[in-house]
Amino acid sequence: MSRKKIQSALISVYHKDHLEPLLKLLDDQHVTIYSTGGTQKFIKELGIEVTAVESVTGYPSIFGGRVKTLHPKILGGILSRRGYEGDRKELAEFQVPEIDLVVIDLYPFEETVAAGAGEEDIIEKIDIGGISLIRAAAKNYKDVVIVSSREQYGHLQRLLEEKQGCTDLEDRRFLATQAFQTTSHYDTAIFNYFNRNTGIRALKISENRVRTLRYGENPHQQGAFYGGLDKLFEQLNGKELSYNNLVDIDAAISLVEEFDNEIFFAILKHTNACGAATGKTVHEAYLKAFEADTVSAFGGVLGTNYRVDLPAAEEIHKLFFEVIVASSYDEDALELLKSKKNRIILLQKEKLNGDKIIKSLLNGIIEQDKDLKTDKREDLKQVTKRQVTGEEVDALLFASKVCKHTKSNTIVLARNGLLIASGVGQTSRVDALNQAIKKAESFGLSLKGAVMASDAFFPFPDCVEIAEKAGIQAVIQPGGSVRDKDSIDYCDAHGMAMVFTGYRHFKH
């Protein structure tokens, strides 16, 4: 029969919180309870009758508690098939009690690793018996109910209350599915811990935290975010985050975090900066960033690495935008920004972490290291006769940081602390440069004395020629073309300065 009544339960959990109501319900429904160790003591202290596992197996807990429930009389009681006559005979022959419900909460392996515990403590938090019991009960879901984590205590309690101590096959199969999710996630965490330095080429990802999004990139696509977003942000205002919001927020934060020791403000659209600037205040940095492209800023995602005060908020408030991310907000600034109910306001609580990028591709998954290289002064190799000035170096490094976070092919035109214009996502570097020049001209921004950054080398001297004629005086690029000398010669002939970094920054 599909519906089965629970008459016996094995309960062995690490976390005891929220377990008491379930125990009392099982006791009220006259369920025989088996337990061991700390869980047995906890149940007994509640005044609930409990049978020690040791009295069933005839063995005490041994090897410092490593072996308690791994015994044929326990695993047999879980795995025996109720409808098989042969199994029933063996239950009787070997005096194995049937177990209808298994409640397990595993040792906190991930939490122990995250807390920075030593190797010995971490190893002892690898649950062996619990995993075995979960898998056994889940395999025999036609006859046995498995609860594999403390998050499911309440679910089982409601189920047993509604069905007078019984479960249906679909209930048991659902809980078995959750159980295999629990064990696979647990094993993934253990493997990834052991594989930190061994270099076994296998990709193991498991994430239980999920946020269903309104839709994906477009309304006809479903979307979800897997991960601990609440650990990174506190949402202070606004509607639910969308897929596109999250993609742009990631791009904004990645760019903002390039600027550690100066106030920086960025405005992004479709992951590319349309405005970026440093300033003495957030107010100044925002205005500089906004004035570089007052059109694209509409509906953008805003990010800064400093506290947003009221003067900054008063200017920002005039713009329609989707999201703002900042490290903190003054109370009066926040009150003003929150006056638009749909405006998403995020407080960033910690920096981004992780050193890998992973995405689906073709019929598999592609992985690479994150581009964590930021071009610095010591990376610059002077390749032209004219040396770059100190001011030009600052401007070139600023341009390089923005360029690194812009879609290839890209050219970034800048002054020190100010993005003037960029050409993004073009099929040729010449097109990207022409796009940037045209954009700067459309906003009446002079390029005289500006600098240029390229995400990759110039295969021909055409880009430095176009740039020089537009007024650009200094260039930063990776170098590495077989025709680098052609670009260098043009710069030398026209009084331009150029430096190579040796690092390409493609972004697709």
mmCIF file of all heavy atoms in Angstrom, residues 447-484:
data_model
loop_
_atom_site.group_PDB
_atom_site.id
_atom_site.type_symbol
_atom_site.label_atom_id
_atom_site.label_comp_id
_atom_site.label_asym_id
_atom_site.label_seq_id
_atom_site.Cartn_x
_atom_site.Cartn_y
_atom_site.Cartn_z
ATOM 1 N N LEU A 447 39.334 65.719 -26.671
ATOM 2 C CA LEU A 447 40.285 64.621 -26.497
ATOM 3 C C LEU A 447 41.728 65.109 -26.509
ATOM 4 O O LEU A 447 42.658 64.292 -26.439
ATOM 5 C CB LEU A 447 40.080 63.574 -27.598
ATOM 6 C CG LEU A 447 38.748 62.804 -27.542
ATOM 7 C CD1 LEU A 447 38.605 61.906 -28.755
ATOM 8 C CD2 LEU A 447 38.652 61.991 -26.259
ATOM 9 N N LYS A 448 41.915 66.395 -26.573
ATOM 10 C CA LYS A 448 43.269 66.943 -26.602
ATOM 11 C C LYS A 448 43.986 66.615 -25.287
ATOM 12 O O LYS A 448 43.521 66.954 -24.214
ATOM 13 C CB LYS A 448 43.232 68.454 -26.808
ATOM 14 C CG LYS A 448 44.618 69.050 -27.000
ATOM 15 C CD LYS A 448 44.544 70.533 -27.314
ATOM 16 C CE LYS A 448 45.956 71.091 -27.537
ATOM 17 N NZ LYS A 448 45.934 72.547 -27.844
ATOM 18 N N GLY A 449 45.096 65.907 -25.400
ATOM 19 C CA GLY A 449 45.857 65.534 -24.217
ATOM 20 C C GLY A 449 45.313 64.326 -23.488
ATOM 21 O O GLY A 449 45.814 63.969 -22.412
ATOM 22 N N ALA A 450 44.296 63.677 -24.066
ATOM 23 C CA ALA A 450 43.727 62.492 -23.423
ATOM 24 C C ALA A 450 44.625 61.279 -23.663
ATOM 25 O O ALA A 450 45.584 61.329 -24.440
ATOM 26 C CB ALA A 450 42.330 62.229 -23.961
ATOM 27 N N VAL A 451 44.312 60.192 -22.988
ATOM 28 C CA VAL A 451 45.064 58.950 -23.152
ATOM 29 C C VAL A 451 44.138 57.855 -23.676
ATOM 30 O O VAL A 451 42.909 57.956 -23.563
ATOM 31 C CB VAL A 451 45.720 58.490 -21.832
ATOM 32 C CG1 VAL A 451 46.616 59.584 -21.274
ATOM 33 C CG2 VAL A 451 44.674 58.053 -20.808
ATOM 34 N N MET A 452 44.753 56.820 -24.210
ATOM 35 C CA MET A 452 43.980 55.712 -24.782
ATOM 36 C C MET A 452 44.461 54.386 -24.196
ATOM 37 O O MET A 452 45.663 54.149 -24.074
ATOM 38 C CB MET A 452 44.160 55.686 -26.305
ATOM 39 C CG MET A 452 43.528 54.474 -26.991
ATOM 40 S SD MET A 452 43.558 54.573 -28.801
ATOM 41 C CE MET A 452 45.299 54.330 -29.146
ATOM 42 N N ALA A 453 43.502 53.517 -23.841
ATOM 43 C CA ALA A 453 43.810 52.159 -23.382
ATOM 44 C C ALA A 453 43.143 51.165 -24.318
ATOM 45 O O ALA A 453 42.006 51.368 -24.749
ATOM 46 C CB ALA A 453 43.310 51.948 -21.962
ATOM 47 N N SER A 454 43.856 50.099 -24.615
ATOM 48 C CA SER A 454 43.326 49.018 -25.448
ATOM 49 C C SER A 454 43.419 47.704 -24.685
ATOM 50 O O SER A 454 44.408 47.458 -23.994
ATOM 51 C CB SER A 454 44.124 48.921 -26.754
ATOM 52 O OG SER A 454 43.701 47.797 -27.517
ATOM 53 N N ASP A 455 42.408 46.849 -24.822
ATOM 54 C CA ASP A 455 42.420 45.577 -24.097
ATOM 55 C C ASP A 455 43.387 44.567 -24.712
ATOM 56 O O ASP A 455 43.761 43.595 -24.057
ATOM 57 C CB ASP A 455 41.001 44.989 -24.021
ATOM 58 C CG ASP A 455 40.385 44.736 -25.385
ATOM 59 O OD1 ASP A 455 40.807 45.393 -26.354
ATOM 60 O OD2 ASP A 455 39.470 43.901 -25.487
ATOM 61 N N ALA A 456 43.781 44.801 -25.974
ATOM 62 C CA ALA A 456 44.715 43.888 -26.635
ATOM 63 C C ALA A 456 45.637 44.691 -27.553
ATOM 64 O O ALA A 456 45.455 45.898 -27.728
ATOM 65 C CB ALA A 456 43.952 42.833 -27.432
ATOM 66 N N PHE A 457 46.629 44.009 -28.136
ATOM 67 C CA PHE A 457 47.616 44.741 -28.943
ATOM 68 C C PHE A 457 47.009 45.282 -30.234
ATOM 69 O O PHE A 457 45.937 44.864 -30.669
ATOM 70 C CB PHE A 457 48.840 43.870 -29.238
ATOM 71 C CG PHE A 457 48.577 42.632 -30.069
ATOM 72 C CD1 PHE A 457 48.121 42.715 -31.395
ATOM 73 C CD2 PHE A 457 48.826 41.372 -29.552
ATOM 74 C CE1 PHE A 457 47.909 41.593 -32.156
ATOM 75 C CE2 PHE A 457 48.622 40.228 -30.323
ATOM 76 C CZ PHE A 457 48.158 40.338 -31.625
ATOM 77 N N PHE A 458 47.742 46.207 -30.863
ATOM 78 C CA PHE A 458 47.357 46.760 -32.156
ATOM 79 C C PHE A 458 48.077 45.972 -33.252
ATOM 80 O O PHE A 458 49.308 45.990 -33.327
ATOM 81 C CB PHE A 458 47.752 48.234 -32.261
ATOM 82 C CG PHE A 458 47.087 49.120 -31.238
ATOM 83 C CD1 PHE A 458 47.856 49.899 -30.392
ATOM 84 C CD2 PHE A 458 45.710 49.175 -31.124
ATOM 85 C CE1 PHE A 458 47.259 50.722 -29.454
ATOM 86 C CE2 PHE A 458 45.101 49.988 -30.189
ATOM 87 C CZ PHE A 458 45.880 50.761 -29.342
ATOM 88 N N PRO A 459 47.336 45.301 -34.133
ATOM 89 C CA PRO A 459 47.996 44.535 -35.195
ATOM 90 C C PRO A 459 48.585 45.435 -36.285
ATOM 91 O O PRO A 459 49.463 45.016 -37.031
ATOM 92 C CB PRO A 459 46.880 43.650 -35.742
ATOM 93 C CG PRO A 459 45.620 44.373 -35.407
ATOM 94 C CD PRO A 459 45.878 45.100 -34.129
ATOM 95 N N PHE A 460 48.066 46.669 -36.333
ATOM 96 C CA PHE A 460 48.539 47.644 -37.324
ATOM 97 C C PHE A 460 48.644 49.014 -36.645
ATOM 98 O O PHE A 460 48.067 49.218 -35.573
ATOM 99 C CB PHE A 460 47.571 47.725 -38.509
ATOM 100 C CG PHE A 460 47.338 46.398 -39.181
ATOM 101 C CD1 PHE A 460 46.178 45.680 -38.933
ATOM 102 C CD2 PHE A 460 48.274 45.869 -40.061
ATOM 103 C CE1 PHE A 460 45.964 44.448 -39.542
ATOM 104 C CE2 PHE A 460 48.070 44.641 -40.672
ATOM 105 C CZ PHE A 460 46.918 43.925 -40.412
ATOM 106 N N PRO A 461 49.314 49.967 -37.263
ATOM 107 C CA PRO A 461 49.462 51.285 -36.635
ATOM 108 C C PRO A 461 48.256 52.195 -36.818
ATOM 109 O O PRO A 461 48.284 53.366 -36.404
ATOM 110 C CB PRO A 461 50.698 51.862 -37.346
ATOM 111 C CG PRO A 461 50.675 51.229 -38.697
ATOM 112 C CD PRO A 461 50.142 49.845 -38.487
ATOM 113 N N ASP A 462 47.171 51.679 -37.445
ATOM 114 C CA ASP A 462 46.030 52.546 -37.752
ATOM 115 C C ASP A 462 45.408 53.170 -36.509
ATOM 116 O O ASP A 462 44.976 54.328 -36.523
ATOM 117 C CB ASP A 462 44.964 51.804 -38.565
ATOM 118 C CG ASP A 462 44.668 50.406 -38.054
ATOM 119 O OD1 ASP A 462 45.137 50.053 -36.954
ATOM 120 O OD2 ASP A 462 43.968 49.644 -38.764
ATOM 121 N N CYS A 463 45.348 52.418 -35.384
ATOM 122 C CA CYS A 463 44.697 52.953 -34.179
ATOM 123 C C CYS A 463 45.485 54.117 -33.581
ATOM 124 O O CYS A 463 44.891 55.126 -33.177
ATOM 125 C CB CYS A 463 44.508 51.852 -33.131
ATOM 126 S SG CYS A 463 43.082 50.790 -33.458
ATOM 127 N N VAL A 464 46.805 54.005 -33.511
ATOM 128 C CA VAL A 464 47.567 55.125 -32.942
ATOM 129 C C VAL A 464 47.503 56.333 -33.871
ATOM 130 O O VAL A 464 47.526 57.485 -33.409
ATOM 131 C CB VAL A 464 49.024 54.720 -32.628
ATOM 132 C CG1 VAL A 464 49.074 53.742 -31.467
ATOM 133 C CG2 VAL A 464 49.739 54.161 -33.845
ATOM 134 N N GLU A 465 47.404 56.080 -35.163
ATOM 135 C CA GLU A 465 47.281 57.183 -36.114
ATOM 136 C C GLU A 465 45.954 57.912 -35.927
ATOM 137 O O GLU A 465 45.910 59.159 -35.859
ATOM 138 C CB GLU A 465 47.392 56.653 -37.544
ATOM 139 C CG GLU A 465 47.301 57.743 -38.607
ATOM 140 C CD GLU A 465 47.447 57.210 -40.019
ATOM 141 O OE1 GLU A 465 47.782 56.014 -40.178
ATOM 142 O OE2 GLU A 465 47.226 57.988 -40.966
ATOM 143 N N ILE A 466 44.858 57.169 -35.855
ATOM 144 C CA ILE A 466 43.537 57.777 -35.643
ATOM 145 C C ILE A 466 43.505 58.520 -34.305
ATOM 146 O O ILE A 466 42.967 59.626 -34.197
ATOM 147 C CB ILE A 466 42.442 56.699 -35.690
ATOM 148 C CG1 ILE A 466 42.356 56.086 -37.086
ATOM 149 C CG2 ILE A 466 41.088 57.276 -35.278
ATOM 150 C CD1 ILE A 466 41.517 54.821 -37.161
ATOM 151 N N ALA A 467 44.077 57.899 -33.274
ATOM 152 C CA ALA A 467 44.071 58.495 -31.939
ATOM 153 C C ALA A 467 44.851 59.806 -31.916
ATOM 154 O O ALA A 467 44.400 60.807 -31.334
ATOM 155 C CB ALA A 467 44.672 57.512 -30.932
ATOM 156 N N GLU A 468 46.025 59.829 -32.558
ATOM 157 C CA GLU A 468 46.859 61.036 -32.565
ATOM 158 C C GLU A 468 46.141 62.188 -33.254
ATOM 159 O O GLU A 468 46.181 63.336 -32.796
ATOM 160 C CB GLU A 468 48.184 60.716 -33.265
ATOM 161 C CG GLU A 468 49.191 61.852 -33.254
ATOM 162 C CD GLU A 468 49.058 62.749 -34.478
ATOM 163 O OE1 GLU A 468 48.588 62.250 -35.533
ATOM 164 O OE2 GLU A 468 49.403 63.950 -34.377
ATOM 165 N N LYS A 469 45.457 61.868 -34.337
ATOM 166 C CA LYS A 469 44.738 62.917 -35.079
ATOM 167 C C LYS A 469 43.555 63.459 -34.285
ATOM 168 O O LYS A 469 43.093 64.578 -34.520
ATOM 169 C CB LYS A 469 44.287 62.374 -36.432
ATOM 170 C CG LYS A 469 45.457 62.152 -37.385
ATOM 171 C CD LYS A 469 45.014 61.544 -38.701
ATOM 172 C CE LYS A 469 46.229 61.372 -39.635
ATOM 173 N NZ LYS A 469 45.884 60.708 -40.908
ATOM 174 N N ALA A 470 43.062 62.657 -33.303
ATOM 175 C CA ALA A 470 41.954 63.112 -32.445
ATOM 176 C C ALA A 470 42.453 63.898 -31.230
ATOM 177 O O ALA A 470 41.640 64.427 -30.474
ATOM 178 C CB ALA A 470 41.131 61.915 -31.984
ATOM 179 N N GLY A 471 43.787 63.944 -31.047
ATOM 180 C CA GLY A 471 44.338 64.722 -29.941
ATOM 181 C C GLY A 471 44.925 63.901 -28.810
ATOM 182 O O GLY A 471 45.401 64.442 -27.806
ATOM 183 N N ILE A 472 44.894 62.587 -28.938
ATOM 184 C CA ILE A 472 45.396 61.706 -27.868
ATOM 185 C C ILE A 472 46.916 61.695 -27.880
ATOM 186 O O ILE A 472 47.549 61.584 -28.928
ATOM 187 C CB ILE A 472 44.812 60.284 -28.044
ATOM 188 C CG1 ILE A 472 43.313 60.316 -27.745
ATOM 189 C CG2 ILE A 472 45.520 59.275 -27.135
ATOM 190 C CD1 ILE A 472 42.526 59.211 -28.370
ATOM 191 N N GLN A 473 47.508 61.752 -26.680
ATOM 192 C CA GLN A 473 48.957 61.923 -26.570
ATOM 193 C C GLN A 473 49.685 60.725 -25.958
ATOM 194 O O GLN A 473 50.911 60.639 -26.067
ATOM 195 C CB GLN A 473 49.253 63.169 -25.731
ATOM 196 C CG GLN A 473 48.836 64.469 -26.392
ATOM 197 C CD GLN A 473 49.633 64.725 -27.681
ATOM 198 O OE1 GLN A 473 50.853 64.756 -27.662
ATOM 199 N NE2 GLN A 473 48.928 64.864 -28.790
ATOM 200 N N ALA A 474 48.965 59.829 -25.285
ATOM 201 C CA ALA A 474 49.630 58.696 -24.628
ATOM 202 C C ALA A 474 48.753 57.446 -24.740
ATOM 203 O O ALA A 474 47.514 57.531 -24.738
ATOM 204 C CB ALA A 474 49.915 59.006 -23.165
ATOM 205 N N VAL A 475 49.407 56.282 -24.814
ATOM 206 C CA VAL A 475 48.713 55.026 -25.075
ATOM 207 C C VAL A 475 49.225 53.936 -24.134
ATOM 208 O O VAL A 475 50.432 53.852 -23.875
ATOM 209 C CB VAL A 475 48.940 54.566 -26.542
ATOM 210 C CG1 VAL A 475 48.222 53.257 -26.824
ATOM 211 C CG2 VAL A 475 48.511 55.649 -27.520
ATOM 212 N N ILE A 476 48.302 53.100 -23.649
ATOM 213 C CA ILE A 476 48.660 51.906 -22.888
ATOM 214 C C ILE A 476 48.029 50.707 -23.583
ATOM 215 O O ILE A 476 46.847 50.733 -23.956
ATOM 216 C CB ILE A 476 48.210 52.008 -21.415
ATOM 217 C CG1 ILE A 476 48.716 50.806 -20.611
ATOM 218 C CG2 ILE A 476 46.705 52.165 -21.293
ATOM 219 C CD1 ILE A 476 48.503 50.954 -19.101
ATOM 220 N N GLN A 477 48.844 49.668 -23.790
ATOM 221 C CA GLN A 477 48.353 48.448 -24.441
ATOM 222 C C GLN A 477 49.261 47.295 -24.033
ATOM 223 O O GLN A 477 50.365 47.511 -23.522
ATOM 224 C CB GLN A 477 48.337 48.631 -25.966
ATOM 225 C CG GLN A 477 49.688 48.977 -26.574
ATOM 226 C CD GLN A 477 49.979 48.184 -27.839
ATOM 227 O OE1 GLN A 477 49.690 46.986 -27.907
ATOM 228 N NE2 GLN A 477 50.571 48.840 -28.832
ATOM 229 N N PRO A 478 48.794 46.043 -24.257
ATOM 230 C CA PRO A 478 49.615 44.905 -23.827
ATOM 231 C C PRO A 478 50.900 44.754 -24.626
ATOM 232 O O PRO A 478 51.920 44.302 -24.102
ATOM 233 C CB PRO A 478 48.699 43.700 -24.050
ATOM 234 C CG PRO A 478 47.334 44.255 -24.164
ATOM 235 C CD PRO A 478 47.479 45.619 -24.735
ATOM 236 N N GLY A 479 50.859 45.104 -25.933
ATOM 237 C CA GLY A 479 51.985 44.778 -26.794
ATOM 238 C C GLY A 479 51.944 43.308 -27.155
ATOM 239 O O GLY A 479 51.109 42.536 -26.662
ATOM 240 N N GLY A 480 52.841 42.892 -28.034
ATOM 241 C CA GLY A 480 52.891 41.485 -28.397
ATOM 242 C C GLY A 480 52.578 41.202 -29.845
ATOM 243 O O GLY A 480 52.654 40.053 -30.289
ATOM 244 N N SER A 481 52.262 42.236 -30.620
ATOM 245 C CA SER A 481 52.014 42.052 -32.047
ATOM 246 C C SER A 481 53.344 41.919 -32.790
ATOM 247 O O SER A 481 54.349 42.526 -32.407
ATOM 248 C CB SER A 481 51.237 43.244 -32.609
ATOM 249 O OG SER A 481 51.213 43.209 -34.021
ATOM 250 N N VAL A 482 53.344 41.162 -33.886
ATOM 251 C CA VAL A 482 54.558 41.066 -34.711
ATOM 252 C C VAL A 482 54.847 42.403 -35.384
ATOM 253 O O VAL A 482 55.959 42.623 -35.897
ATOM 254 C CB VAL A 482 54.423 39.957 -35.780
ATOM 255 C CG1 VAL A 482 54.323 38.596 -35.115
ATOM 256 C CG2 VAL A 482 53.220 40.202 -36.689
ATOM 257 N N ARG A 483 53.843 43.299 -35.359
ATOM 258 C CA ARG A 483 54.032 44.612 -35.988
ATOM 259 C C ARG A 483 53.976 45.740 -34.952
ATOM 260 O O ARG A 483 53.593 46.858 -35.254
ATOM 261 C CB ARG A 483 52.963 44.810 -37.073
ATOM 262 C CG ARG A 483 53.027 43.754 -38.160
ATOM 263 C CD ARG A 483 52.083 44.020 -39.308
ATOM 264 N NE ARG A 483 52.447 45.247 -40.031
ATOM 265 C CZ ARG A 483 51.855 45.625 -41.169
ATOM 266 N NH1 ARG A 483 50.896 44.870 -41.685
ATOM 267 N NH2 ARG A 483 52.207 46.726 -41.766
ATOM 268 N N ASP A 484 54.365 45.410 -33.716
ATOM 269 C CA ASP A 484 54.437 46.449 -32.683
ATOM 270 C C ASP A 484 55.284 47.634 -33.135
ATOM 271 O O ASP A 484 54.973 48.793 -32.842
ATOM 272 C CB ASP A 484 55.045 45.880 -31.393
ATOM 273 C CG ASP A 484 54.024 45.166 -30.518
ATOM 274 O OD1 ASP A 484 52.809 45.373 -30.731
ATOM 275 O OD2 ASP A 484 54.437 44.384 -29.641
#
